[in-house]
Structures are given as structure tokens and as C-alpha cells.
Amino acid sequence: MTSTRVPPPVTVTKPDRLAWPDVMRAACVCLVVVFHVELWVVETTGLPVVRDTSRWWDLAHGIMDRFLMPGLFLLSGLLVSRTLLTTGRIRIDAASVRRAVSSYYLYVVWLAVYWVVFAAAVAVRPSTTGYPHAFTSVSAALRQLVAPATSLWYLFALACYALVMIAMVRLRIPAAVVILAAGVLAVVIRGWEVWAAERIGFNFVFFVVGVYLAPYAAALGRLRWWWLFPAAAAFVLVTVAGTVADLTSSVFAVVARLATVPIVVVVCVLASRLAAVARVGGYVGRHTLSVYVLHPLLMIPLWWWATGDRVDAVAFTSNPAGLALLLYGGGAVVVALALLIETGLRRVGAGALFALPAALVPARARQADGAHR
């Protein structure tokens, strides 16, 4: 009697998610919050700080400015296609178009949320019109559909970047040419008086680097500890050279940021090997959007405090310990609240605030996306 052997079913396993990009994304977005607490609550309102603290904070402020947004855009470039981190090749297809549409969708949704919240805040306290990026008129909201004037410009930029990269890859333009062109654009557009255009044009080069770095993301996750030395050397060399020569050119602005990102990547790669860091960083890193879009709204009460009871606020920031508590403690509270609010909104069915609704994505496209996950 002949028996027919039935082969076992083939099981397709999902590739492990890399830990270091999530840890780096978490670090960048948390420091964005700290950066904005200092900029909007302390500096913009004119709160005094002690001399030594001011000097050290200026140094930290300058260093953070070199990698916060460049780092976030580089990581966004890594994820421009669902297959980038697993296939070892760059694949930009219809999924990338949907990513661009999704970014702009989120931009419009949160622009509307900002409009409502700012209007409510101004109704409660009219002085809120002086809060950074606040707007209340319909005309201001409509203008921002094409010309961002709030921190939401990040989402607008992602939509633009994805569409441009689709064209670059479809036209088979060599990676070196795209990176060079993006670098030239960053140098030329630096210092433009058009706020959003300058930021969007300047940061495109970091997104492009992320796109072409993606096939090596897994290899970066295996970096050894001694890579700290060359990465740190590059950062120190550029920083010292820029300080000694007092460089303020657009070229140096790009070079300084490109020299700072490697040390941040190496530190995050090494940190991601610690279980606790990978767990916490992974969670925050997967919820970067909620922290980024909610933190300007959650900082309004802090701004009210800084501009209201000046005596109390001045006494607080004039003390190094008080300033540190405000920047890092206040930043941590804002991040925690953003994560809690996202959880609550999702539970009440408001997930459309954080992702393009599935109903707007064709069924065939959802199946294709699922096959790549």
C-alpha cells in the first residue's frame, strides 16, 4: 500500500523588530519635549536662570538641536517602506504612497485639534494668544494646510519626503546623487525667512540618509562597544573645530548634525541591549506620534504658570535644582500624560487620531501590507 506524505504547512514568521530604532526614537522625542519646555516655558517667557546653569544649558541645548529632528527624520527614513528592514533592499511602492497620505491625513486631523484646543485655551485665558504657535482664526488654519506654522510641520514634511523619494527611486537616480542633492538643498535653504520651508528643506537630507541606511539597520544593531570611540571622535572633532573657528555657516550646520547622529546611534544601539531600556524605550518609541503631537497642548498649563505667577516661577528657575526639575521632571510628566491620553482615546474608539482609518485603505492594499509585516 502506497502512502502519500503530506508536507507540513509553511509558517511565515514575522521578523523580529529591531530594538535600537525604537530606543533612539524614544530618546529623541523625549528630548524634544525637554527642549520645548526650555524654549517655550523658560526662554520665551524670559524666566531667569543662574549663570552657570545657563551656560551648561546653552551647551546642552545646542547639542540636542543637532540630533533631535535629524534623528527623528533619519528614523522615519528607515521606515519609509515596510520591507526596508527585512529584505535588504529598498522597495518603494504603493505602501509608500499610503504612508505619505497617512502623514498628511494626521497633519490635517491634528491641525484641527490644535485649532479647537487653542481656541478653548484663549477663551479661558486670553493671554494664550502669546503661546508659541497658537492660532485661533479659520484663515490661519486654512493657510496651514499648505504652509505649516506649528510643530506639526514634522508630519507635513514626512508626507512631502515620502512623495519625493518615490519619484527618486522610480527614476532610478543613484543614492549618492540623491544624498548630494539633498545636502546641497539643506545648505542653500538654511536661513530662509520662510519658517516651514527652511525646516522642511533643511531636514530632507537626514530622511534621505535614513532611506539608504535602512538595509544596514540590522547590521547597526550588532555594533560592538568600541564603535563609541570613532563616533565620539567625529563628534568632538567637528564640535571643537566649529567652536574654535566660530563656524556658523550653513555647510557647518549640516556637517555638525551629520557628525552628531552617529554617536547617538551607537549609544542607542548599546543601550537597547539592556532589557529595561529596550522595554521602556520600545514602548515609548512605538508611541512617538502621540508624544510629539500632544506635548505642545499639554505644555499650555506650564506656560500659564510661567507667565502668571512670575514671582513663584522666577524663584523656581533661578535655582539649578528647580530648573532641572522643571525641564526633566516636567518633561517626563508631559510624556507620561501623552501616553495615557493616547491609551484613553484609543479605548473610546478615537484611534483615527493616530492612524489612517482602515476604512480609507482598500482591502487589497491592507492584504498587501499584511504580507510585508
Side-chain angles (χ1 to χ4, degrees), residues 43-129:
E43 186 175 324
T44 301
T45 60
L47 290 178
V49 296
V50 293
R51 185 179 302 277
D52 289 342
T53 303
S54 178
R55 181 183 62 185
W56 286 107
W57 176 252
D58 286 344
L59 176 62
H61 189 104
I63 293 174
M64 284 195 292
D65 188 41
R66 290 186 183 180
F67 74 84
L68 292 181
M69 296 314 295
L72 285 176
F73 280 118
L74 183 142
L75 293 168
S76 297
L78 287 177
L79 300 175
V80 73
S81 173
R82 297 184 186 279
T83 57
L84 282 178
L85 299 183
T86 57
T87 64
R89 63 189 179 91
I90 294 175
R91 180 178 185 273
I92 295 183
D93 53 12
S96 298
V97 177
R98 289 190 295 278
R99 184 177 295 277
V101 172
S102 177
S103 293
Y104 189 72
Y105 160 82
L106 291 171
Y107 172 74
V108 173
V109 166
W110 281 99
L111 187 64
V113 172
Y114 275 32
W115 179 36
V116 172
V117 173
F118 285 145
V122 169
V124 172
R125 185 171 295 190
S127 63
T128 309
T129 53

Side-chain angles (χ1 to χ4, degrees), residues 42-346:
V42 179
E43 186 175 324
T44 301
T45 60
L47 290 178
V49 296
V50 293
R51 185 179 302 277
D52 289 342
T53 303
S54 178
R55 181 183 62 185
W56 286 107
W57 176 252
D58 286 344
L59 176 62
H61 189 104
I63 293 174
M64 284 195 292
D65 188 41
R66 290 186 183 180
F67 74 84
L68 292 181
M69 296 314 295
L72 285 176
F73 280 118
L74 183 142
L75 293 168
S76 297
L78 287 177
L79 300 175
V80 73
S81 173
R82 297 184 186 279
T83 57
L84 282 178
L85 299 183
T86 57
T87 64
R89 63 189 179 91
I90 294 175
R91 180 178 185 273
I92 295 183
D93 53 12
S96 298
V97 177
R98 289 190 295 278
R99 184 177 295 277
V101 172
S102 177
S103 293
Y104 189 72
Y105 160 82
L106 291 171
Y107 172 74
V108 173
V109 166
W110 281 99
L111 187 64
V113 172
Y114 275 32
W115 179 36
V116 172
V117 173
F118 285 145
V122 169
V124 172
R125 185 171 295 190
S127 63
T128 309
T129 53
Y131 183 71
H133 300 174
F135 65 96
T136 57
S137 68
V138 176
S139 59
L142 292 176
R143 282 196 303 271
Q144 292 193 62
L145 291 176
V146 294
T150 71
S151 55
L152 292 175
W153 70 270
Y154 171 70
L155 296 175
F156 187 95
L158 288 180
C160 297
Y161 294 170
L163 292 176
V164 171
M165 282 308 302
I166 290 171
M168 297 297 100
V169 173
R170 290 296 187 188
L171 292 172
R172 299 185 181 278
I173 299 177
V177 175
V178 178
I179 294 174
L180 179 60
V184 171
L185 174 64
V187 171
V188 171
I189 207 169
R190 178 75 171 178
W192 269 31
E193 294 183 0
V194 182
W195 183 79
E198 184 269 329
R199 280 160 176 74
I200 293 173
F202 180 78
N203 286 284
F204 180 51
V205 64
F206 307 107
F207 181 85
V208 170
V209 169
V211 169
Y212 291 109
L213 187 67
Y216 310 100
L220 288 174
R222 296 190 292 271
L223 288 177
R224 306 295 295 274
W225 63 270
W226 54 263
W227 275 100
L228 276 172
F229 295 106
F235 167 73
V236 171
L237 178 63
V238 171
T239 301
V240 171
T243 302
V244 172
D246 193 23
L247 297 177
T248 57
S249 68
S250 298
V251 174
F252 178 74
V254 177
V255 172
R257 284 158 176 76
L258 289 175
T260 303
V261 169
I263 184 64
V264 177
V265 170
V266 174
V267 169
C268 290
V269 166
L270 298 179
S272 69
R273 294 171 186 170
L274 301 175
V277 174
R279 188 178 305 112
V280 176
Y283 180 81
V284 177
R286 290 189 295 272
H287 297 82
T288 302
L289 174 66
S290 61
V291 176
Y292 189 88
V293 297
L294 283 168
H295 83 271
L297 305 182
L298 295 174
M299 283 169 50
I300 293 176
L302 276 178
W303 189 86
W304 283 346
W305 166 77
T307 56
D309 188 352
R310 293 291 295 181
V311 175
D312 183 46
V314 167
F316 203 84
T317 60
S318 296
N319 182 295
L323 180 62
L325 180 60
L326 172 62
L327 298 180
Y328 298 100
V333 170
V334 168
V335 171
L337 285 175
L339 296 173
L340 286 173
I341 291 173
E342 180 194 3
T343 300
L345 289 172
R346 287 185 181 277

